[in-house]
C-alpha cells in the first residue's frame, strides 16, 4: 500500500512513525510546503515533497487505492473539491446543520469542526463502537451527518476510515468519487468525518448564485 501524508506537523509525524512499523506499507510520501527537521529521512520507504497538498493531489498521478492521511491545518478534501471544480466557492454553512452538531468549533462562517469528545482524545485511540474513554455508544458521526435533511444545502460526506490506531484517512478513489457526487449540487456542506469527529465546509455554485442575483434584480 502507498500512503500520502498531508502535512508534517505533530500528527503527520506521528502517523508516519506508525506506518513505518507496518511491513506491508510500500511507500509513504510526505507532502508539506516547508519540511523542517525531518525525523524519518533515513527510511528508504519515505519520500519528502515540499509542495502544497492540494497542488500535489491535483497534479500528481496518484493510484486510486493510495491512502490520503489529512493532517494539514485546513479541510484538505474540500479544498481539493473547489480546486477541481472552479465553478464552486466557499459559502456560509447552513445554521440548521450547525445546531445539530455536538461540541462545535467555528473556524469561520464557511468552516466548522465538531466532535463527540469534549476532551483531548488519546492519540492511539482504537476507533470502536463505543468511546474508548467514556465507553458511550453513539451513532457514528459520518452516519449522523449523512442523515441531515434541513434547509436547501446537500450534505456530502467523505468517510475517514481508521488505518492504524489514532490514524485515519481515505483513498484517492473515495476522494474523487465524493467530489464528483458533490459537483452535481448547487449548494452543499462538504464533510470529512470519522466515527467521532468531522470537518465541515460550506460550498456553493458560483453560477447558481449569479442566477439568484439576476432573478432578484428583475
Amino acid at each position: 500500500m502507498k500512503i500520502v501524508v498531508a502535512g508534517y506537523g505533530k500528527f503527520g509525524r506521528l502517523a508516519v512513525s506508525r506506518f513505518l512499523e507496518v511491513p506491508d506499507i510500500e511507500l509513504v510520501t510526505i507532502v508539506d510546503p516547508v519540511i523542517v527537521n525531518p525525523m524519518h529521512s533515513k527510511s528508504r520507504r519515505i519520500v519528502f515533497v515540499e509542495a502544497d497538498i492540494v497542488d500535489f493531489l491535483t497534479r500528481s498521478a496518484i493510484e486510486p487505492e493510495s491512502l490520503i492521511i489529512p493532517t494539514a491545518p485546513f479541510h484538505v478534501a474540500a479544498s481539493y473539491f473547489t480546486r477541481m471544480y472552479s465553478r464552486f466557492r466557499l459559502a456560509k454553512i447552513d445554521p440548521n446543520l450547525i445546531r445539530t452538531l455536538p461540541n462545535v468549533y467555528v473556524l469561520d462562517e464557511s468552516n466548522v469542526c465538531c466532535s463527540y469528545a469534549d476532551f483531548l482524545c488519546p492519540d492511539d485511540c482504537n476507533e470502536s463502537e463505543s468511546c474508548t474513554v467514556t465507553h458511550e455508544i453513539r451513532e457514528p458521526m459520518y452516519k449522523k451527518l449523512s442523515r441531515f435533511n434541513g434547509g436547501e444545502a446537500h450534505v456530502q460526506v467523505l468517510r475517514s476510515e481508521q488505518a492504524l490506531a489514532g490514524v485515519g484517512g481515505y483513498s484517492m478513489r473515495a476522494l474523487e468519487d465524493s467530489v464528483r457526487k458533490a459537483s452535481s449540487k448547487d449548494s452543499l456542506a462538504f464533510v470529512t468525518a470519522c466515527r467521532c469527529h468531522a470537518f465541515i465546509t460550506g460550498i456553493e455554485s458560483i453560477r447558481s448564485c449569479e442566477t439568484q442575483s439576476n432573478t432578484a434584480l428583475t
Side-chain angles (χ1 to χ4, degrees):
M1 178 183 289
K2 295 181 180 180
I3 309 293
V4 176
V5 177
Y8 196 52
K10 174 183 176 181
F11 294 107
R13 290 170 188 254
L14 181 64
V16 173
S17 295
R18 290 181 178 165
F19 279 122
L20 289 178
E21 296 174 358
V22 181
D24 292 341
I25 300 300
E26 178 183 351
L27 180 68
V28 179
T29 301
I30 301 166
V31 184
D32 195 292
V34 180
I35 296 175
V36 180
N37 298 324
M39 297 170 51
H40 308 93
S41 56
K42 294 182 180 180
S43 173
R44 294 182 179 179
R45 292 188 288 161
I46 295 291
V47 172
F48 289 97
V49 179
E50 286 198 333
D52 173 79
I53 182 60
V54 181
D55 287 343
F56 180 81
L57 292 176
T58 54
R59 297 176 183 177
S60 304
I62 301 173
E63 295 178 9
E65 299 309 318
S66 293
L67 190 62
I68 313 300
I69 308 298
T71 67
F74 60 91
H75 195 172
V76 173
S79 297
Y80 176 78
F81 172 39
T82 55
R83 182 74 61 86
M84 292 297 291
Y85 295 92
S86 60
R87 67 179 183 273
F88 289 93
R89 66 184 181 189
L90 297 183
K92 187 176 181 179
I93 298 176
D94 186 341
N96 292 318
L97 173 59
I98 294 176
R99 281 193 285 269
T100 69
L101 304 175
N103 300 309
V104 174
Y105 181 77
V106 178
L107 300 173
D108 55 51
E109 68 174 11
S110 301
N111 294 279
V112 302
C113 298
C114 68
S115 175
Y116 279 128
D118 57 2
F119 50 83
L120 185 64
C121 294
D123 64 24
D124 61 349
C125 180
N126 186 14
E127 187 182 59
S128 60
E129 191 172 312
S130 61
C131 175
T132 56
V133 175
T134 68
H135 306 295
E136 294 178 79
I137 297 177
R138 295 163 296 202
E139 179 182 27
M141 188 69 75
Y142 56 84
K143 285 188 177 180
K144 177 181 177 68
L145 283 160
S146 294
R147 288 192 301 101
F148 178 77
N149 185 20
E152 298 180 355
H154 170 76
V155 176
Q156 179 65 46
V157 178
L158 171 61
R159 181 180 174 183
S160 176
E161 301 192 55
Q162 189 167 60
L164 300 171
V167 180
Y170 39 80
S171 69
M172 190 66 195
R173 185 192 305 278
L175 174 60
E176 290 177 333
D177 286 348
S178 194
V179 300
R180 185 168 54 251
K181 291 175 183 176
S183 69
S184 66
K185 308 299 178 181
D186 287 330
S187 179
L188 69 146
F190 196 98
V191 177
T192 300
C194 63
R195 181 175 287 274
C196 302
H197 320 287
F199 201 146
I200 305 156
T201 299
I203 295 173
E204 64 187 3
S205 166
I206 296 173
R207 290 184 301 193
S208 175
C209 293
E210 290 173 347
T211 301
Q212 291 176 15
S213 297
N214 292 335
T215 301
L217 293 172
T218 58

